[in-house]
């Protein structure tokens, strides 16, 4: 009895009990693996759905901010072909012209 408590092993006296312990242990490991796999799938699905929701929500906020601020992605004005902006200017210094004599 003392040797059994020190080693804490299943007694080898009954082979049917040993087979039963091995079968129950294998079933417990198999069930744990299957449940772990499905738990991983469920958690992975939750993470993917939450990431998609957060991504769509951030895109929506950026879109709303662009609409309110006038938008940085506005289409070019059709009245200004080639991206040329017309306007007036004033020469500040007359010394920079090399053609004057």
């Amino acid at each position: 009895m003392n040797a059994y408590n020190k080693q804490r092993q299943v007694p080898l006296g009954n082979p049917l009990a040993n087979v039963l312990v091995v079968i129950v242990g294998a079933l417990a490991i198999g069930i744990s693996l299957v449940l772990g796999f499905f738990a991983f799938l469920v958690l992975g699905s939750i993470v993917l759905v939450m990431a998609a929701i957060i991504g769509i929500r951030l895109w929506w906020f950026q879109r709303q901010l662009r609409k309110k601020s006038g938008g940085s992605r506005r289409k070019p004005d059709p009245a200004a072909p080639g991206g040329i902006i017309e306007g007036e200017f004033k020469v500040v210094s007359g010394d920079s012209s090399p053609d004057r004599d």
Side-chain angles (χ1 to χ4, degrees), residues 25-93:
L27 285 173
I29 290 172
I31 290 171
S32 297
L33 287 173
V34 170
L35 288 177
F37 176 73
F38 282 113
F40 177 75
L41 285 180
V42 168
L43 285 175
S45 300
I46 290 171
V47 167
L48 284 176
V49 168
M50 292 303 292
I53 289 171
I54 291 171
I56 291 170
R57 193 67 179 151
L58 286 175
W59 169 78
W60 186 261
F61 279 141
Q62 287 178 351
R63 186 172 172 248
Q64 293 298 322
L65 286 175
R66 267 190 249 122
K67 279 185 179 179
K68 287 181 181 177
S69 67
S72 60
R73 294 185 181 179
R74 280 191 275 171
K75 293 181 181 177
D77 186 14
I84 299 172
I85 300 174
E86 293 185 26
E88 296 181 14
F89 69 95
K90 182 178 181 181
V91 178
V92 176
S93 172

